[in-house]
Amino acid sequence: MKHVLPILFFLLTINITAQTDAETLKTIYSTSLTNGKSYEWLDYLSNQIGGRLSGSLNAEKAVAYTKEELEKLGLDKVWLQPVMVPKWVRGTKEYAFIESSSGITTTVNICALGGSIATPIGGVKAAVVEVQGIDELIALGKDKVSGKIVFFNRPMQADVIQTFEAYGGCVDQRYAGAKEAGKLGAVGVIVRSMNLRLDDLPHTGSMTYGNLPNSQRIPSAAISTNDAEKLSSMLALDKNIKLFFNQTCQQLQDVQSHNVIGEITGSEFPNEYIIVGGHLDSWDLGDGSHDDGAGCVQSMDVLRLLKESGIKPKRTIRVVLFMNEENGLRGATKYAEMAKQKGENHIFSLESDAGGFTPRGFQFDCNDVIFAKIESWKTLFKPYLIHYFERGGSGADVAPLKTDSNVVAGLRPDSQRYFDHHHAANDVFEHVNKRELELGAATMTSLVYLIDKYGISPISNTNELKN
């Protein structure tokens, strides 16, 4: 009997610990779903401010608004971190048409890619050469490309379940297409939008000229998937058709903006930092609700939900709203640089930048031992249908914080509809579901709670596995 009692007490302790964690997660989810703030914040960010391109007035309005809202939460500290960002402006609405050999024109939907130069005054019109990618373009050579508009028409691969993989499989033509075509004497580039469905919306996104001299820099625009299909079909019938497009975008001098930061100071380990964040900037065609207003308001709500749930963190929990993810990563670079300069120990960094859709789980960049510890918490998330705990990439803004001993991670919502809206005019508030958004905020908060409670050091007792 003497030996049985300690064993019974040990088993009881395991059960109480597990129940406490389960009850805490239930409180977090209930609070988010019945008393969340993320949807209200996103409504204002999207409908009262709108698209928040780096360097724009709207971006600065977003900085002021989110700082004010964080201050209302009664955090221990809220501040702005200055960062110089690029200022690219779209100018007047772009215009394009296909001209057949008989002189008949058909208007098509395009938008300038972020960072592109303008067309010559009055636009550019030329014959079109269609390619499926950069390798095919290079193989054609200067003789077949010079003086023409290059049309990159490789679609996202529809049978890839992880849509971000499909995006990664063809985004190089958008990013570097103009650079490579310019070297071969092309006069312009049109790129099929990064979109898995057929519609009339062109999707913008960043592009680069690299170190290309100004004389070889050519205008670059995205064309809607419907119109890409149309252009390709017309080329198949008549190689002599021409494309005209006009855009007035320009790159201005860098301007100062800010990362927005708020924190709850840890009660036991204040020098160990856990951060959650998203990027406050967005493209200008829609209002940036999914990309990445959703991630910003979810991250803000993590700190609020911790306070509302009565959780007093052991470690310092920080929310960081990064500026300039879309066309420069200046905010992420500045934050990581200052963290290193101050010797801050960021043990865990979580980013939400994959839309406000139903959360499925997380992706972690960490070593095997730490991942095994995190994976042992999966059963706690099962009641909320969170099942995706995988090794892999994290997020563009938190990746610069990665070290050999810490963890960077990304929230992974269901991605099947994400690229319908990504960088397009339909990335608007009405396409974000309140419940899905709030489930994401609760899921992030729950993981932060567990990381804060148990840390990321190797498993030291069996209680942590019996959750």
Side-chain angles (χ1 to χ4, degrees), residues 62 77-79 82 93 127 140 143 169 187 192 204 217 232 245 309 324 337 339 354 362 366 371 374 406 427 445:
K77 188 178 179 184
V78 177
W79 73 100
K93 184 173 172 55
L140 283 177
D143 289 346
V187 296
R192 183 190 182 100
T204 191
R217 297 188 177 197
S232 183
F245 74 104
S309 301
N324 185 231
E337 175 189 310
F362 306 93
C366 60
F371 182 67
I374 293 171
N406 71 3
D427 183 5
T445 307

Side-chain angles (χ1 to χ4, degrees), residues 51-61 85-87 255 257 282:
R52 304 169 298 280
L53 191 58
S54 288
S56 69
L57 176 60
N58 277 5
E60 294 316 296
K61 286 180 179 179
V85 300
K87 184 177 177 67
V255 298
S257 188
S282 75

